[in-house]
Amino acid sequence: MASWVLSECGLRPLPRIYPKPQAFLNSNPSKLRFSRTDFGNGSSLCFSNEINNNINKERNWALKVSVPLTIEQVEEEINGVGGGGEEFDPGAPPPFKLSDIKAAIPKHCWVKNPWKSMSYVVRDVAVVFGLAAVAAYFNSWVVWPLYWFAQGTMFWALFVLGHDCGHGSFSNNHKLNSVVGHLTHSSILVPYHGWRISHRTHHQNHGHVENDESWHPLPEKIFKNLDKATKILRFTLPFPMLAYPFYLWGRSPGKKGSHFHPDSDLFVPNERKDIITSTVCWTTMVALLVGLSFVMGPVQLLKLYGIPYLGFVMWLDFVTYLHHHGHDEKLPWYRGKTEAAKPVLGKYYKEPQKSGPLPFYLLGVLLRSMKKDHYVSDTGDIVYYQTDPQLNGAQKS
């Protein structure tokens, strides 16, 4: 069974905190594929096949760096000093470890303050109800579009709070994380435990062609077998930005199961009660919305909740998609954006692109990626996104 995964900062062993679902067992432990988009040339780098043995042999990569000495070492490595002047290879292992980056981050960043976390919950919930009250009071078509954008963004904020609960970064109290996660996620029709578990799988297999859970590269065989309607829905805006509810019910192309069903191969048997709990909470929220539609009318409920919900879904799909696509040319998969880790990363560090209050340039990134990044080869140690020239009038890559 594959025991190595691609993390944001390097390859590391899978944590053994959680049991791994049978769905992700690989009969061929050498067959791994990882992805990373190189947008400059319209293609994405993916790692695959028979890298496990090489990684085990070369576990002590290049340099055992420490924070005080890393800058010169990394720069020398990047510039080819002592390395024969070879061109930088984004597929090569980095000259630092995940532990080096974690050690560089100030200790206070790791402290979880449940009171501060709860203050964010109270603040965001108050804003949500405040926006709804203001919009309902004025009930004006001048106000409604502004409300939809603001409330959709606040629904996204609620999702982020539940996201942190799912990661355990909200607090050290598992029960508090579960309660807050269910309240925030159920309110925006997300099954907390179902999503939490699949999201955990996503992070353990980030960019893995077979095992990743969200916006992972489609193997050529699966892509070629998709019907035309499915291809259009997946790669033609705005349809992909509305995919999240369908993903919760049926997952991505080539995968089976549901985030709502306790017997889905997303989960292991001892997670069954968690999934049932989340599905009951989700169903309760649906029943509440149905009841509200009789109280205030379906049109008013659509304006107050339905359209903001769609806005939240678009935010979620937009952000998640760009996490997997649209990087600069030769951007390695282990680059980071944490300022504190800059001394460790050296020239591997990427400065965030400057933009105004709203990063409109990302819309262009999204459009270009939808036209180019369609599928990856079924074979090869390093494979790149390829373009279907018949899809959306895309040019052959």
Side-chain angles (χ1 to χ4, degrees):
M1 181 174 66
S3 61
W4 291 87
V5 297
L6 189 65
S7 74
E8 293 159 355
C9 302
L11 287 162
R12 59 180 175 84
L14 280 172
R16 299 186 182 277
I17 298 175
Y18 303 102
K20 191 179 176 95
Q22 292 295 320
F24 302 117
L25 296 179
N26 196 329
S27 59
N28 184 355
S30 68
K31 190 175 182 181
L32 290 174
R33 289 203 289 275
F34 304 94
S35 76
R36 193 243 346 131
T37 302
D38 271 339
F39 208 130
N41 57 10
S43 59
S44 293
L45 178 63
C46 304
F47 295 85
S48 68
N49 298 343
E50 301 180 358
I51 64 172
N52 205 26
N53 293 334
N54 292 333
I55 292 171
N56 288 330
K57 293 176 183 178
E58 300 177 5
R59 182 66 186 93
N60 296 322
W61 285 327
L63 299 171
K64 293 184 177 180
V65 296
S66 60
V67 176
L69 302 177
T70 303
I71 299 177
E72 292 80 11
Q73 292 175 326
V74 172
E75 288 183 352
E76 289 178 359
E77 185 76 14
I78 295 289
N79 294 326
V81 178
E86 296 180 358
E87 183 180 354
F88 173 67
D89 179 9
F96 45 79
K97 296 180 292 183
L98 179 62
S99 58
D100 298 316
I101 298 175
K102 293 178 68 174
I105 299 175
K107 291 183 178 180
H108 71 266
C109 295
W110 302 100
V111 176
K112 305 171 188 177
N113 186 335
W115 293 104
K116 187 174 183 179
S117 297
M118 284 303 302
S119 72
Y120 293 138
V121 175
V122 173
R123 180 197 65 184
D124 288 356
V125 171
V127 172
V128 167
F129 280 98
L131 287 172
V134 170
Y137 175 79
F138 286 101
N139 195 21
S140 167
W141 286 106
V142 176
V143 174
W144 283 119
L146 299 175
Y147 166 77
W148 293 331
F149 179 82
Q151 192 70 297
T153 304
M154 289 309 303
F155 281 13
W156 164 247
L158 293 179
F159 177 86
V160 172
L161 289 171
H163 166 276
D164 289 352
C165 291
H167 275 293
S169 58
F170 186 85
S171 77
N172 287 321
N173 189 318
H174 174 73
K175 291 184 178 180
L176 178 62
N177 292 341
S178 184
V179 170
V180 175
H182 275 99
L183 290 175
T184 54
H185 273 193
S186 298
S187 68
I188 50 175
L189 299 180
V190 176
Y192 172 69
H193 281 310
W195 171 86
R196 175 185 63 80
I197 294 168
S198 73
H199 190 63
R200 180 192 72 208
T201 302
H202 159 67
H203 276 283
Q204 291 179 344
N205 301 275
H206 193 280
H208 193 295
V209 174
E210 285 94 2
N211 293 354
D212 198 354
E213 268 299 309
S214 56
W215 291 117
H216 62 285
L218 291 180
E220 183 174 6
K221 182 178 180 180
I222 291 178
F223 178 84
K224 293 296 177 65
N225 287 331
L226 296 178
D227 57 69
K228 185 175 181 180
T230 301
K231 290 181 181 179
I232 292 175
L233 290 174
R234 185 174 174 86
F235 297 102
T236 305
L237 292 174
F239 304 117
M241 299 299 101
L242 300 171
Y244 186 63
F246 301 97
Y247 162 72
L248 291 177
W249 281 104
R251 301 175 70 191
S252 302
K255 295 180 179 292
K256 297 180 181 180
S258 169
H259 288 75
F260 299 92
H261 201 294
D263 294 328
S264 172
D265 59 8
L266 269 167
F267 319 116
V268 293
N270 64 357
E271 294 168 334
R272 180 181 178 86
K273 290 183 179 179
D274 286 342
I275 305 308
I276 293 175
T277 299
S278 295
T279 301
V280 169
C281 291
W282 183 92
T283 305
T284 301
M285 182 61 190
V286 171
L288 176 61
L289 291 173
V290 172
L292 287 174
S293 70
F294 286 102
V295 174
M296 66 177 63
V299 175
Q300 187 73 348
L301 182 65
L302 177 66
K303 292 190 292 186
L304 285 172
Y305 185 91
I307 297 178
Y309 170 76
L310 292 178
F312 146 68
V313 167
M314 295 185 73
W315 268 122
L316 179 58
D317 281 316
F318 181 63
V319 171
T320 307
Y321 181 90
L322 290 179
H323 279 170
H324 293 72
H325 303 79
H327 300 302
D328 295 332
E329 185 174 6
K330 288 193 174 182
L331 174 67
W333 39 260
Y334 41 80
R335 279 212 189 189
K337 298 182 180 179
T338 304
E339 183 73 24
K342 189 173 182 178
V344 175
L345 296 174
K347 287 192 174 181
Y348 286 81
Y349 177 81
K350 175 178 171 58
E351 293 287 348
Q353 184 169 339
K354 297 184 183 301
S355 66
L358 297 175
F360 289 110
Y361 74 92
L362 291 175
L363 294 174
V365 173
L366 176 67
L367 288 169
R368 290 192 296 272
S369 179
M370 285 288 175
K371 291 182 178 180
K372 293 181 178 180
D373 301 333
H374 296 154
Y375 63 91
V376 295
S377 173
D378 292 317
T379 60
D381 291 337
I382 299 179
V383 294
Y384 293 83
Y385 262 120
Q386 299 182 42
T387 301
D388 181 356
Q390 299 180 345
L391 185 62
N392 303 329
Q395 298 296 320
K396 187 173 182 179
S397 178

